[in-house]
Structures are given as C-alpha cells and as structure tokens.
Amino acid sequence: MSAMAAKDPTTNKRIFRLATKAFKSGFSYLAVESIKTTRAEAGEPAFSVKTAHWKRHYPDFTLYVGSDPDAPDASPVACAYLPGMFRSSKIGLGNVKSAPETVQWETMKSKSFGSTDYDWSMPLVSGKHQDLQWKRSREHAIDGKEPGKGRSWILVESGDSDTIHAIFRMHGGIDHCATVQINMNQGSEFDYMVLITGMLL
C-alpha cells in the first residue's frame, strides 16, 4: 500500500487506522479500504508517528511518511507538542529534523476550559490560512460505524459545520487505537496536518 490511503474515485475518502507499534514506542497509521480491513490486509503502514514525551525540546509527536521513521532517508513531514498550561499545542508542517527553520508553526487550542472542541489553522500555499475546528460529535461516524458509539470528532471549517472534512474516532484498544476518515482531497499536506492534530485529541 502506498503512502496515500486507498481512494474511492467518487468521494476521494481515505481511511487510516491508528495502531501502536509492536515492541516499540510510537504509532502507525495504516491505509485501509474500510473499517473491516484487517491489519494483515492493510500491509505496511502508510505513516509512522515517533514519540518523544520525555525528551526536552523535541516534539511529542513527529509524523513520517512510510513504515520506518529511523530509516536513513526518513524525513518528518509534521509534528506536534502536547498542550501546555494554557491548553494550547504547537503543531508544525515540515521537516523539523533537518530543516527546522522551514517549519510552518500553528497553534491548536481548546475553545474554553473543559471544552472538547479545538481550533487550528492550515497554512496554504497562497500564504493564507484555512481556519479549522475539531468538534466533538455524537451524530457522525466513520463509514460503516454507528454514530454515538465511541469518542468521535469531526473536522469542519470555523463557522461552518455542514461540510465535514474528516472524522476521528477513538477506540481505546492497543492494536487499533483510532480510525481517521479524510473526506476531502486537499493535498498531502492537508492529510499530514489532519493526522498529526488527531494525535492531540
């Protein structure tokens, strides 16, 4: 399976399964055809997430394309720091390892104390930003799942809850922690930011 998840030519939906790595720290995003796809059928991970919670000055999560973040030619494409005392997280698009000066930094912040909704911005090629929000929802679900079961968030543009760009659903398991369904085909960088911000939910 390639780094991009299998696409439905009609909807452009991509589905990724988040799983822990066996005998290693970190996580993998596996590209799957549907929620019924087994781990064996999914093949090699499309993305890997390296964790560094106890290393000062290192991002808590770093996203790499492919299955091996420690490969000589592996380059990170996005990263994130866990929330600080003001409930805001730093999220970065770019190679924080080899070219940290080129990383485009944004902030992901909860709307209010105790809120489960998170605002963040997607940097665009034009130099502008797309304002987005992960919004907790019990009314929407990954294709093939029933709404109301599990913890789910929908990704919408700020001020517009009608168009759902992505859905993130927590499972709480070890082998299968969560599922991400990206509904919009807005380029690889958009996918990177959806996947890395999902790690902060």
Side-chain angles (χ1 to χ4, degrees), residues 6-153:
K7 294 182 180 180
D8 180 325
T10 304
T11 64
N12 284 322
K13 290 181 181 179
R14 283 93 67 215
I15 300 176
F16 297 93
R17 178 180 298 163
L18 180 65
T20 56
K21 290 189 173 183
F23 309 111
K24 294 182 179 180
S25 61
F27 299 85
S28 297
Y29 274 113
L30 294 95
V32 297
E33 295 282 351
S34 73
I35 59 170
K36 295 182 180 180
T37 303
T38 66
R39 184 160 187 168
E41 291 171 338
E44 289 295 310
F47 297 94
S48 294
V49 180
K50 202 167 185 178
T51 57
H53 300 319
W54 309 113
K55 293 183 179 180
R56 193 176 181 184
H57 304 308
Y58 281 79
D60 292 284
F61 301 107
T62 305
L63 181 72
Y64 291 78
V65 175
S67 61
D68 186 5
D70 296 317
D73 59 346
S75 296
V77 292
C79 60
Y81 288 87
L82 288 169
M85 62 183 298
F86 297 107
R87 304 188 307 281
S88 63
S89 305
K90 284 178 62 178
I91 52 177
L93 177 64
N95 188 338
V96 72
K97 181 179 178 181
S98 302
E101 70 282 357
T102 66
V103 174
Q104 300 177 74
W105 292 102
E106 301 291 340
T107 299
M108 178 169 158
K109 188 174 183 179
S110 60
K111 291 182 67 65
S112 61
F113 182 77
S115 174
T116 53
D117 297 343
Y118 301 90
D119 294 324
W120 58 282
S121 294
M122 172 70 203
L124 303 176
V125 176
S126 63
K128 297 182 179 180
H129 292 77
Q130 182 180 18
D131 294 328
L132 298 163
Q133 181 184 98
W134 279 114
K135 189 178 181 67
R136 187 73 179 272
S137 174
R138 294 183 179 275
E139 301 174 358
H140 302 87
I142 302 290
D143 288 356
K145 286 288 185 181
E146 294 182 18
K149 293 186 177 181
R151 292 188 296 159
S152 297
W153 283 261

Side-chain angles (χ1 to χ4, degrees), residues 140 156-157 159-164:
H140 302 87
V156 297
E157 287 198 55
D160 176 16
S161 297
D162 294 331
T163 303
I164 299 174

